[in-house]
Structure formats: structure tokens, C-alpha cells
Amino acid sequence: MGRAGTGTRGAAVAVAVAGLLLLLLLAGAPPAAAGDGKKSDVRLVSEQFSQSPQKLSFYSWYGSARLFHFRVPPDTVLLRWLLQVSRGGGPACTDVEITVYFRYGAPPVINPLDTSFPANTSVQPSFLIKMLQSNASVNISHPAPGDWFVAAHLPPSSQKIEVKGFVPTCAYIFQPDMLVLRAVEVFILEPDVPLPQTLLSHPSYLKIFIPENTRELRLELQGCATNGSLGCPVRLTVGSATLPRNFQKVLTCVSPSWACHLLLPSPPWDRWLQVTARSLAGPHVSVAFRAVAALTACRPWTLNSQHLLLSGTNQSCNASAGLLPPSPGSRGLGRSSRLGSGPFCLMSYPVLREDMDVVSVRFRPVDRVSMLVQSAVPSVLRLHLNTGMDSGGSLTVSLQANQTAVTNNTLVVVCMNAASPFLSFNTSLNCTTAFFQGYPLSLSASSRQADLVIPYPETDNWYLSLQLVCPESPEECEQTSVLVETSLYLVPCLNDCGPYGQCLLLRRHSYLYAGCSCKAGWRGWSCTDNSTAQTVAQQRVATLLLTLSNLMFLAPIAISVHRLLLVEASVYAYTMFFSTFYHACDQPGEAVLCILSYDTLQYCDFLGSGVSIWVTILCMARLKAALKHVLFLLGTLVFAMSLQLDRRGAWNMMGPCLFAFVVMVTMWVYRCGHRRQCYPTSWQRWGFFLLPGISMAAVAVAIYTSMMTSDNYYYTHSIWHMLLAGSAAFLLPPREEHTEPWACSQKLTCRYQICKSHREELYAVT
């Protein structure tokens, strides 16, 4: 693996260098002149980012996907992902299809198994590509700066349970490299200040800062001229590209007879907005214009602590008293109410962010339980999810309206948006801002509660906007206000993955994210898909099969005691005990019983199984007592060491057993040569004991190595228990002929007995 990794790294560097050159060529010339030998744009610099490769896994749950986290620098005009896959292993390894996902702001929400999501969960389709063992690339023009995530996995895992060491080990190594072209000459477009620009073969890069509380952005081109004549062959690309959806706005100006402008409602607040101007004329045609940006601001009415105290001094007053901004009339909010240059456009509630644990946050309005919702302006809550560590959980929104406030003619409409709030409830209810499609909700007399779950929310400020709407009689809403209770949480896993799942925190370097590992046949993002789930009765039957099948070890225990094989009997009893309670603890459903930690029970079960096979084979060799017990002890120590090194390694168990088999065959061959006849000498021993025992052991090994699947595990593994115990009972050697296990030769008058052990030829007082 070390040599393969070195070669992969060298190839990655070579491909990255070639990619940088190609990026410079693509960005340096427009599409029409890409091959005419133009020099690259000196206003662009190239940068490369890489991460260590990871070994891909077959998909079974979200933790099977390998996640890569990158940060795209500001003013990036072109991004290229270089995806490289290398295969390690023998010739038996074949190419498999690899799925790669891309998303801006948060890890991609993927669903390769096509399972159902929990109720009220909003999921956007992921942007993905599929590739074999080869190199691929993905280009993104004008990508959004900030966090970008790449996830990759192999096809869904098969149901077959493979034993390590019996199948070829194939390693598929995946590594993405990020190459960017960043503009170092960017023109600042100030509001209401014309910015002259002249376009030739290279585009012009501009940016404008959108302050907080911006209601609308108007972008206009004035005084367009092409080589001195009227005309405006210019294409403007506004905004940054994001995945899986792209809400960039493209404005194409051709005719000078009409004003070329673009209106963007609710642009993203408190950030730079990228604008790229590209000439649509020929490579040698000069296009001149003036770019003008106009911002429309709105005044928020913020409910600070003073307002909250004033509103709470008189509990018998109207709920809206003291909460409205000062205005000539109580119904003038958002219309006649003005402070300074603009009207009030929203009612902002201060929000307390309470960090409770890793990827676990609670949001609530300061000193309030409910939000006051009116028809004049939207009521807005801002949720700070911009720390960079909040995108690895699930954002849950639960709203409940007062039972008496919402009537049949009133409706509370809600929008959940990132980057900027939705403020145009009077003209549209689609929750679409300039560059984001929001999540709509509603509260009515028939449905006074609304819930929303957003898995892996984007890193940004999120805004919850609410407004009262009366579709049939708008004048009725002017005298009405509704109190809405909010419950806003960021949790690692929704409902902690339920009773049939386990919420696990995953880590990629310093980035943490959560995923649900389901059990008992349950599937899905939060283990809520019961299409393949086991019933409680099936879980109990499976537990009984795996535990009670170990009672088959009572047969070799009884035979060992009867034949004075006390060490062997102790080993079988140990195996039966820990195998029973390990499988009682290993069950995924409700029928679970753990007397010790799971890891301890598993280790003891594996140790007992290996030592049982070891002592059975050595007992068949009929070694001298001292040598046999020394080998028993040494073999147990070797098993303990090998299981500590690799508990799942098949050859860690098969190696000592093969050594014991060689010892047994050697002793049998020696006796055959010494006695001049086959050993064992009795055909009854071969026909009724050895052959059935060997057959049962062979079938057990075949089932264990090649027939077990996740669906039939409860049956096949129970059969494995019974075959293993049954083969031990058949293969144990008989005691010596014409002797009793313990013969008492003399009785004493004091009721003690002097017994003779023919096996040890010692006398003992019992």
C-alpha cells in the first residue's frame, strides 16, 4: 500500500499541474477564442488544494461514505475538481462504480438505498456523478466562497457476510483535488455610483457589498456603446454557483432601445455579491458601459429588552400594545410608520442561541415564549448557524398557533430561508429570495401546528419569517394578531434515531457530523423506514435460535465428563455459556440481554470457539497426558494473542487449528506404521463416529465461510452452533476398553473410599 500510495500521489501532482494549465487556458479566453493563442488573463491567479486519499467502502449507511471538506477562497471565478481513483489488490478485483456527491455549505444528503425520510423532512436532490476506476473532473464557474463538501462511496453492500481471509481484499482509493482560479483585480461597485467598464476579450469582475436589511437590489447598465456606436452586447452573471441547486441570475443585454436592468428581491445580507460582465461581441470589439447598483433598504423594528419590559407591565392590555413601532396609528405599521428615510419592513425578534452539546443548539426568542404575528409586516427570527460546525446536524422547526387566534379566514404563512429573509408575502408566497428557494409552511384553523426538518442545513444565517394573511377579506387581518409558539433546535440526529437506531458522531479532521446506524432491519435517514424491519416476534425468534442452539454443547460436555476428559468438558461449557450470552447481547431489537460489556462477550465467544476446535483435534491425537495439557495451554495463549491482534481474521483461528490437525495426522500415521494396521482400527469407529463428525465439521465450515447472509444469519449461524457441537461429540475419542472411568477397589470402615484411576494410575482418598 505504501508503494501504491506513492505512485498515486505522483500521478495526482501531474494531473493537478495539467489541470492548472487547462484552467488558465479556459479562463484566459472566451469560448469563441479558446484556440486562437490568446494569452491568459494576468488578473487571475491559480491555487491548488488537496486532501489525503481515503479508502472507499460499500454503502450501508451514511458512515460508509467518505467525506472531504474544502474551503473555496473569495473572488474565485473558476473551480475544478480533479477526481482520482486507484485500485489495490489482486487480479480478482474488478472495477466498480463509484458515486461522488458535491454540495456547498453542508455535507450532501444522500440516499443510495432509496429509503424514506421522516415526516416533514425537506430534502433537495443531490448533485452527483458516477465514475469507474479512472480520472474525472467537474468544473464550476463562479463558485460560492466558503465550505464545499465532497462525498464518495462504492455501490450498496451485498447481504452476504464475508469472512476475512477467505475473499480477496480489494482497496479502492479515492482522492479529490481542488484547483481554483481567483481574481486579483476586482472592481468595487458602490451603490448609486456609476462604474465605467470597457470589455474586450477578457471578462470584467465586479462585486458589491450587500449590507444587512437590504430589501432589493437593482443592477442596471447605462450608456452602452460598441466601438463608438449604440449597442449593448453584454452578459451579466450575478451571484455565485452553489450545488445541488444554482440560483445565479444571468442578464443578457442586446438592444439599446430598452433599459437593461435586473431586480433582485432579498439579496443575501452582509456579504459580497459577485458580478461578472462578459462581452458578446467579437474578440476585437470594444464594449463600453456604466454599471449602476441601487439598494433599497428597509427599517427593522427590533424588539429589545426595553420594549419587552414595557409590554409586560400591563398584562391586561392588548398583546400588540408596546410591541408595535411608534407610528401615527396602530394600523400604520409598514405603511405610514417612518423613521428616517425608509418604512419599517419587518419586526425582528432577538434570538438567544444556547449551545447544549456537539452539533446541538437551541434557539428561542429572548424572554418570550411566543412570537406576535401581524399582517402589516413579517415577524422575523434570525438563527445563527454560521459557526462552521452547525451543518452536520438536523435543523428542526416546530410552530404552533394559539387555538383561538386563528380563524377560518386567517392564515399564517411561514418561510424558512438562508442568507436573507423572505419579505414579499403580499405579492408572492413561494418563499423565493434572490438566490435561495425557501421552505414554506402555513398555520390555519384546520392545522394549527407545522413542522419542518432540514438535514444538514447550510452554513449561514437562517431566517424564519411569519406573516398573517387573509386571502378572502384583507381588512380583517388589520385588526388581528396571532401568537405563535416556536420550538427551534439543531440536533445531531432526529429523535436520536428512534428505538431501532444509534446516533453516531463522525469526524473528518476537525469537522464533526452525525449519522444514524439502524438495526433490526430498519432503514432510512433517521431509521424510520420499516419496509424491511423485523417484527418483535421475529426478533424474539432470532434470539431464541441463536441462544438455545448453544444447548447442543451439552452433548459433548456429557460425553467428555463420562470419558474423564474434564479439561475438554470445561472448554465446551465455557463456549456454551459465553456464546449464549453473547448472542443474547448481540441482537439489534428489543430482545436483548447483556450481562457484561458487548466487547467482552464477543471476545470470550470467539476465544471459546477457537479453543473448542483446538482441544477437540488434540484430544483425537491421543497424546500423553502431560504433553496434551501443555499444548492445551499454549494453544489457548496463542488464540488469546491472535484474537487481540485481529478478532475477525479467519487465519488467526484457522492457523492453530491446522497445526493441531497436523499433530493429529502425524500421530495417526505413526500408530499405523507402528501397529501395521490402519488407525483407528475399528470400522465401526470410522463409519459411526469419525465420518459423521468430519462431515458435520465440513458442512459447518462451508456454512460459516460462504452461506451466511444478513437475512439468513439467524438460521445459518444457529446451524453452525449445532454442527460444531455435534461434530465435537462424534469426534471425541472413546475411553480405553475394559475399564471404568473410576473404579473403587476397597471400601474403608470409616466410609472413605480408596479409588484407583486407571488413566493416571494414582490412588486418591475421596
Side-chain angles (χ1 to χ4, degrees):
M1 289 299 296
R3 297 180 181 176
T6 303
T8 302
R9 192 63 183 172
V13 173
V15 173
V17 172
L20 284 173
L21 295 177
L22 182 58
L23 277 180
L24 290 172
L25 178 62
L26 291 176
D36 57 1
K38 292 292 183 180
K39 296 182 180 180
S40 61
D41 196 342
V42 296
R43 300 172 300 169
L44 302 177
V45 295
S46 60
E47 296 178 351
Q48 178 184 356
F49 303 89
S50 181
Q51 289 191 11
S52 58
Q54 296 190 60
K55 180 180 178 181
L56 299 182
S57 300
F58 290 94
Y59 188 86
S60 59
W61 66 294
Y62 197 88
S64 305
R66 297 295 177 258
L67 188 69
F68 298 84
H69 181 199
F70 293 90
R71 288 194 64 85
V72 175
D75 302 327
T76 298
V77 299
L78 188 58
L79 164 66
R80 164 165 286 197
W81 300 102
L82 295 179
L83 311 177
Q84 304 165 67
V85 178
S86 60
R87 184 188 66 198
C93 299
T94 59
D95 292 341
V96 297
E97 187 178 63
I98 298 173
T99 308
V100 186
Y101 303 85
F102 303 86
R103 190 187 177 192
Y104 165 75
V109 180
I110 63 178
N111 188 21
L113 302 179
D114 196 22
T115 58
S116 63
F117 284 85
N120 305 312
T121 301
S122 182
V123 180
Q124 299 179 1
S126 299
F127 176 81
L128 60 91
I129 65 170
K130 295 182 180 293
M131 54 184 295
L132 294 174
Q133 184 192 356
S134 60
N135 297 330
S137 63
V138 176
N139 294 336
I140 302 176
S141 298
H142 309 290
D147 296 331
W148 281 80
F149 293 86
V150 179
H153 63 79
L154 299 177
S157 58
S158 62
Q159 297 295 322
K160 184 178 179 181
I161 300 177
E162 297 178 341
V163 180
K164 185 178 180 181
F166 282 86
V167 293
T169 302
C170 301
Y172 299 90
I173 310 299
F174 176 78
Q175 178 182 7
D177 288 337
M178 185 179 73
L179 290 79
V180 299
L181 282 182
R182 184 170 55 86
V184 294
E185 182 180 337
V186 181
F187 298 96
I188 305 299
L189 184 60
E190 298 182 5
D192 301 322
V193 177
L195 180 64
Q197 291 290 305
T198 301
L199 299 179
L200 289 172
S201 58
H202 298 302
S204 181
Y205 304 108
L206 305 86
K207 64 179 180 180
I208 179 174
F209 185 78
I210 308 298
E212 193 174 347
N213 302 320
T214 300
R215 186 163 194 168
E216 187 180 70
L217 168 65
R218 177 186 175 91
L219 192 62
E220 184 176 357
L221 299 186
Q222 299 176 352
C224 289
T226 304
N227 280 351
S229 60
L230 295 179
C232 197
V234 178
R235 175 176 296 167
L236 289 183
T237 303
V238 184
S240 302
T242 59
L243 296 177
R245 293 187 180 183
N246 184 13
F247 291 94
Q248 283 180 305
K249 299 297 188 295
V250 178
L251 176 63
T252 302
C253 302
V254 179
S255 174
S257 60
W258 51 275
C260 186
H261 67 274
L262 180 66
L263 290 177
L264 297 176
S266 297
W269 288 0
D270 199 22
R271 70 184 59 185
W272 291 96
L273 185 63
Q274 297 181 357
V275 180
T276 303
R278 186 182 294 273
S279 173
L280 299 180
H284 304 290
V285 179
S286 174
V287 179
F289 63 90
R290 296 189 305 274
V292 181
L295 299 177
T296 302
C298 68
R299 300 289 303 278
W301 173 251
T302 303
L303 296 176
N304 54 31
S305 301
Q306 180 181 359
H307 299 141
L308 297 174
L309 290 174
L310 291 175
S311 65
T313 55
N314 188 0
Q315 298 295 336
S316 61
C317 295
N318 188 352
S320 62
L323 296 180
L324 297 178
S327 61
S330 61
R331 295 183 296 174
L333 180 62
R335 299 176 183 177
S336 61
S337 302
R338 292 177 179 266
L339 284 178
S341 60
F344 292 103
C345 64
L346 60 92
M347 185 184 298
S348 177
Y349 284 79
V351 178
L352 174 65
R353 173 188 166 117
E354 181 182 357
D355 291 275
M356 298 183 294
D357 206 340
V358 179
V359 201
S360 182
V361 183
R362 176 189 177 189
F363 300 95
R364 60 182 178 88
V366 178
D367 299 331
R368 295 185 62 83
V369 178
S370 303
M371 293 178 58
L372 185 66
V373 182
Q374 297 179 330
S375 62
V377 293
S379 299
V380 177
L381 288 178
R382 179 169 62 178
L383 311 182
H384 294 278
L385 292 172
N386 55 355
T387 65
M389 298 298 294
D390 302 325
S391 57
S394 295
L395 179 61
T396 63
V397 178
S398 181
L399 306 175
Q400 187 171 2
N402 194 307
Q403 295 184 357
T404 59
V406 181
T407 63
N408 293 330
N409 297 327
T410 60
L411 179 69
V412 178
V413 289
V414 185
C415 286
M416 192 71 182
N417 292 76
S420 60
F422 180 76
L423 304 175
S424 305
F425 288 100
N426 295 329
T427 58
S428 174
L429 298 178
N430 58 5
C431 294
T432 302
T433 57
F435 302 104
F436 191 85
Q437 173 59 56
Y439 303 92
L441 297 171
S442 63
L443 300 172
S444 61
S446 59
S447 178
R448 292 186 171 89
Q449 183 172 352
D451 299 294
L452 174 65
V453 179
I454 304 176
Y456 294 163
E458 296 179 9
T459 298
D460 214 326
N461 286 325
W462 285 74
Y463 296 87
L464 180 67
S465 306
L466 304 91
Q467 190 167 349
L468 189 64
V469 176
C470 297
E472 299 180 359
S473 54
E475 64 278 358
E476 183 179 349
C477 286
E478 298 182 359
Q479 302 293 336
T480 306
S481 61
V482 178
L483 290 176
V484 177
E485 295 183 3
T486 62
S487 178
L488 308 171
Y489 287 91
L490 177 70
V491 295
C493 302
L494 184 63
N495 297 327
D496 202 21
C497 300
Y500 295 102
Q502 183 180 8
C503 184
L504 300 177
L505 280 178
L506 309 172
R507 182 173 64 89
R508 174 58 179 163
H509 295 314
S510 60
Y511 180 77
L512 294 176
Y513 58 107
C516 285
S517 177
C518 306
K519 55 187 180 181
W522 290 75
R523 306 188 305 167
W525 188 260
S526 299
C527 302
T528 55
D529 188 338
N530 61 351
S531 58
T532 60
Q534 299 175 355
T535 63
V536 177
Q538 290 175 330
Q539 297 172 25
R540 292 175 179 173
V541 169
T543 303
L544 291 176
L545 282 175
L546 290 171
T547 54
L548 297 183
S549 60
N550 288 285
L551 296 179
M552 189 69 179
F553 278 96
L554 291 174
I557 292 174
I559 294 175
S560 300
V561 171
H562 180 69
R563 299 176 183 176
L564 286 182
L565 304 174
L566 301 183
V567 176
E568 291 83 344
S570 302
V571 172
Y572 298 146
Y574 176 94
T575 303
M576 180 183 70
F577 178 84
F578 282 104
S579 180
T580 299
F581 285 100
Y582 163 65
H583 286 291
C585 183
D586 187 46
Q587 297 312 299
E590 297 182 359
V592 179
L593 174 63
C594 297
I595 62 173
L596 294 173
S597 66
Y598 176 84
D599 187 72
T600 301
L601 291 173
Q602 185 188 68
Y603 182 85
C604 294
D605 173 61
F606 288 11
L607 178 63
S609 300
V611 176
S612 296
I613 301 174
W614 171 263
V615 299
T616 302
I617 299 176
L618 288 181
C619 185
M620 296 171 60
R622 282 192 177 273
L623 301 170
K624 290 185 178 181
L627 178 60
K628 182 181 73 171
H629 290 97
V630 168
L631 290 178
F632 280 0
L633 179 59
L634 290 178
T636 303
L637 296 177
V638 171
F639 272 109
M641 178 196 67
S642 61
L643 291 177
Q644 181 65 26
L645 294 175
D646 187 0
R647 195 172 299 181
R648 298 286 182 178
W651 289 106
N652 289 347
M653 180 179 294
M654 295 296 295
C657 294
L658 290 177
F659 174 78
F661 182 77
V662 170
V663 173
M664 182 197 72
V665 171
T666 302
M667 294 303 300
W668 283 16
V669 171
Y670 169 76
R671 291 191 177 95
C672 289
H674 184 69
R675 300 181 182 183
R676 304 294 183 180
Q677 59 180 344
C678 184
Y679 182 86
T681 58
S682 173
W683 67 268
Q684 292 91 345
R685 178 66 185 168
W686 282 98
F688 296 108
F689 294 96
L690 292 180
L691 292 181
I694 294 174
S695 301
M696 294 176 68
V699 174
V701 172
I703 291 177
Y704 187 82
T705 56
S706 60
M707 297 180 61
M708 286 189 186
T709 64
S710 300
D711 295 331
N712 65 13
Y713 173 79
Y714 310 106
Y715 311 105
T716 55
H717 201 76
S718 299
I719 296 174
W720 151 262
H721 287 164
M722 293 184 287
L723 291 176
L724 183 64
S727 63
F730 276 101
L731 295 176
L732 285 174
R735 65 172 179 265
E736 297 180 4
E737 298 179 356
H738 310 299
T739 60
E740 295 294 334
W742 293 95
C744 298
S745 59
Q746 182 180 0
K747 290 186 178 181
L748 302 180
T749 57
C750 59
R751 298 184 180 179
Y752 284 89
Q753 296 179 351
I754 299 178
C755 301
K756 179 181 180 182
S757 171
H758 294 281
R759 203 174 271 277
E760 301 294 342
E761 296 183 358
L762 297 175
Y763 287 88
V765 178
T766 60

